[in-house]
Amino acid sequence: MSRQKAKMMKKCWMCGAAADSGEHKIKKSLLVALHGEGAYRRSNAVSHVKDGQVRSLQGPGSELIKYTNCLCSACNNHQSQPFDHAYDKFFQFVLRRENEIIDRRVIDFSDVYGEDFELGQRNLYKYLVKLFGCDLSSHDLPVPLDLRELLDKEHFRTRLFITFAVNEDKLLLRDVKDRSAGIGSLTYLPADAGVDDERSYAWSTYFSFLHIYFWYAMKPTGPLGSIWTANSRWIYLGWSRPLSIEQRKELEKSAAVLQRGRDHVPGESKGGEGQ
Ligand SMILES: [Zn+2]
């Protein structure tokens, strides 16, 4: 079968109907919160980096950052709308309360969703399941049954652990505001060699300083936060420092330069720096 034909016949991973709807890898509303409505040009240019290839992103709705045809429109628009809203509230809260979250390393969902925090955190979890399912689907990997079944449930058991961590390397740029967002690479291995279609997966997505890790059928490794399965009012953030000591030193230097540049008043540059 040709690649084109296989693509045309793709099915919605949630319900099995023909998939005619795409999902943003990085939510459009998040990109707008980070970079504005667009178009992303000149002083507001935004780069898109994938597999080492840099391209410019035209705007927050760009096809470059979409999973194409992973869902049907009914599932994408109606069923999952509350999940999308829960994520909007969550990232708005994280961006607004950045300093407090970084200091305390804990998020209280009642601060995010108010009295309805129990429902809010469950819908947030389901949004992350939706995103994860679309990523698996884009790799032509089967979405595990428990994830497909939990979307319309109030109580469920799941093998997907989610953890949250502060990327401490990004805090070096804290005063400059890191506005990056993206998704990590997907790794998978057979969970049980005796069962063909059962695998364990590790994946991640991030925005600004916050990294969200997905662990399916495997235990989290490293200090990447407490396990959450939509079962708690609080999440406790772990930490990561992906850069080497040398790379951190370099970044510290450039952060200092950026900081000086930021405080520099345009039009008073004649004295030059260091004077
Ligand atoms: Zn569907």
Side-chain angles (χ1 to χ4, degrees):
M1 189 189 297
S2 76
R3 214 183 146 88
Q4 191 71 26
K5 211 169 176 184
K7 210 172 174 181
M8 279 168 64
M9 289 175 65
K10 248 185 139 174
K11 286 182 176 168
C12 168
W13 67 260
M14 287 186 187
C15 75
D20 57 356
S21 178
E23 173 70 5
H24 289 271
K25 295 178 184 179
I26 305 163
K27 206 163 180 298
K28 192 174 167 185
S29 50
L30 172 61
L31 271 178
V32 170
L34 292 169
H35 297 286
E37 296 276 354
Y40 300 148
R41 282 195 298 248
R42 299 188 192 97
S43 63
N44 190 31
V46 176
S47 298
H48 171 257
V49 186
K50 188 182 180 188
D51 302 329
Q53 200 188 352
V54 184
R55 294 155 88 177
S56 56
L57 203 63
Q58 305 301 316
S62 169
E63 291 294 317
L64 278 181
I65 45 169
K66 251 186 176 181
Y67 297 115
T68 48
N69 296 341
C70 61
L71 297 169
C72 72
S73 350
C75 287
N76 201 6
N77 299 332
H78 303 299
Q79 198 206 351
S80 60
Q81 226 164 41
F83 314 160
D84 292 19
H85 289 156
Y87 186 63
D88 284 350
K89 274 198 169 174
F90 177 71
F91 75 70
Q92 284 159 7
F93 177 84
V94 171
L95 295 174
R96 197 169 61 238
R97 304 275 283 268
E98 184 177 301
N99 292 339
E100 187 187 325
I101 294 168
I102 290 168
D103 289 344
R104 294 190 182 160
R105 305 287 167 111
V106 60
I107 294 175
D108 180 342
F109 283 126
S110 76
D111 289 339
V112 184
Y113 301 111
E115 279 180 12
D116 282 340
F117 67 85
E118 205 275 324
L119 175 65
Q121 59 95 42
R122 194 169 349 110
N123 281 341
L124 172 66
Y125 184 87
K126 290 178 179 179
Y127 169 79
L128 295 171
V129 167
K130 177 185 174 186
L131 194 66
F132 181 52
C134 286
D135 198 81
L136 291 178
S137 178
S138 76
H139 288 92
D140 291 322
L141 289 165
V143 180
L145 186 64
D146 62 314
L147 300 185
R148 280 184 277 137
E149 287 185 342
L150 67 78
L151 293 165
D152 58 0
K153 290 201 173 105
E154 207 173 311
H155 303 283
F156 52 81
R157 288 171 70 85
T158 173
R159 301 175 78 193
L160 176 66
F161 296 146
I162 293 181
T163 69
F164 298 78
V166 173
N167 180 332
E168 297 194 341
D169 290 332
K170 290 185 176 174
L171 301 188
L172 295 172
L173 299 169
R174 197 164 163 183
D175 291 326
V176 187
K177 290 267 182 209
D178 180 87
R179 295 192 186 280
S180 61
I183 56 170
S185 55
L186 178 75
T187 54
Y188 67 91
L189 49 138
D192 178 347
V195 183
D196 274 351
D197 62 352
E198 192 164 316
R199 301 180 174 89
S200 52
Y201 301 104
W203 189 61
S204 66
T205 179
Y206 66 91
F207 61 90
S208 187
F209 66 90
L210 189 71
H211 286 232
I212 306 172
Y213 294 92
F214 297 68
W215 315 85
Y216 185 82
M218 66 190 291
K219 284 207 173 123
T221 50
L224 299 173
S226 62
I227 289 171
W228 173 65
T229 54
N231 59 345
S232 170
R233 173 174 159 181
W234 295 275
I235 44 171
Y236 299 93
L237 279 53
W239 61 275
S240 71
R241 285 189 181 192
L243 298 182
S244 67
I245 292 169
E246 291 74 25
Q247 285 171 323
R248 270 181 76 83
K249 278 185 183 152
E250 278 305 306
L251 190 60
E252 262 164 337
K253 272 190 229 161
S254 54
V257 170
L258 282 167
Q259 184 63 31
R260 281 208 301 275
R262 196 179 70 121
D263 291 337
H264 198 75
V265 182
E268 292 181 7
S269 61
K270 281 189 180 129
E273 284 198 353
Q275 290 200 5

